[in-house]
Amino acid sequence: MTTTNPTYRVKRPLTEPEIGDIIAGIERATNSAELLGGALRNILNPLLADIGASIDDFNADHRLRPSDYAIPASQWAAIMDAITGRAAEWGASVQVGLELINVGPATYDDPDVPAPAIAIPDRRPTIHVLRVTREAVDVIGACVRHVADLGRFYGHHSDIHREALTSWHRCVTGLFTMNMGADTHITVDGALSLFVACENGYVYGVIFHGQQRHCTVNGCRATIRDDGTTEPAAHSTPDDHEHQPSYPPGAPQPGYWSVHS
């Protein structure tokens, strides 16, 4: 994150040899912990050297504050991409990326410093295995049909259809990411929802959030069931009017999908 903190202890671009050391450390790493620790050491030690210090000088009683040291945002973005790309071999790109945000140096904008060209070989597994239970296959089919039903009923250019379609496609696309490993298990988490377990241990749900049908008359908070019957809400207006449903009984339920961990 770019900051305007004026009190950096060191603020400068990394030199080409320093970036070379960072790249070499990224390529040598044999696991995600070694990758992260080595990268941070190779990034911060050159800056600390400017004040006659090193990472080894800090401990629990004398803590290092990485935000006291700043490099150009262009350099940091390229380094971040290289580190998280390397972490994909172990399905740890997300964890490593989040940790880098927490413990990396500060950044500042400098248009005169270009992003370094860092080419890290793609070491991701050559195959991403998606294990989908047959029940989950049925749910995926039901989700696709529900999106199609929304388009036919409300119109393919309606906000209802577009919200559902866009959110479903975004969630399905996420199933194919290799940032969390290359062996993904997909099971059922509801009539239109999925449960996803990733190789790195991360689990999440692809959840359908359906709109509850309600009366749109001002002051009425009654919900309306599929059969047209209603359930008055507390503090609602008296039930002396004709309820106006937010969407017709028997119509496909509007809603959207999102990811929840």
Side-chain angles (χ1 to χ4, degrees), residues 1-2 70-79 106-110 113 115-116:
M1 174 181 289
T2 300
I71 64 174
S74 55
Q75 291 187 334
W76 180 236
I79 292 168
T107 65
Y108 64 94
D109 291 322
D110 187 341
V113 178

Side-chain angles (χ1 to χ4, degrees), residues 149-220:
D149 290 343
L150 291 172
R152 282 190 292 268
F153 190 89
Y154 299 102
H156 289 91
H157 296 291
S158 66
D159 290 340
I160 288 174
H161 177 250
R162 282 193 279 195
E163 180 182 32
L165 179 64
T166 300
S167 64
W168 173 246
H169 281 179
R170 181 173 59 249
C171 290
V172 169
T173 300
L175 298 176
F176 292 88
T177 180
M178 298 178 77
N179 290 338
M180 293 177 285
D183 191 349
T184 304
H185 294 241
I186 304 169
T187 55
V188 171
D189 195 29
L192 293 174
S193 299
L194 301 168
F195 180 80
V196 184
C198 303
E199 183 181 14
N200 67 352
Y202 182 73
V203 297
Y204 66 92
V206 175
I207 307 298
F208 179 69
H209 305 270
Q211 292 183 17
Q212 186 176 53
R213 188 187 294 107
H214 63 276
C215 179
T216 60
V217 172
N218 188 34
C220 181

Side-chain angles (χ1 to χ4, degrees), residues 2-24:
T2 300
T3 177
T4 56
N5 176 11
T7 59
Y8 299 127
R9 301 192 70 187
V10 178
K11 173 185 174 182
R12 67 167 175 84
L14 295 170
T15 66
E16 188 172 332
E18 289 166 351
I19 291 175
D21 289 340
I22 295 169
I23 295 172

Side-chain angles (χ1 to χ4, degrees), residues 32 35 81-94 96 121-125 177-182 199:
S32 59
L35 170 67
D81 285 345
I83 296 171
T84 55
R86 180 71 177 88
E89 178 177 356
W90 308 291
S93 295
V94 173
V96 168
D122 187 350
R123 293 187 177 88
R124 293 176 301 167
T177 180
M178 298 178 77
N179 290 338
M180 293 177 285
E199 183 181 14

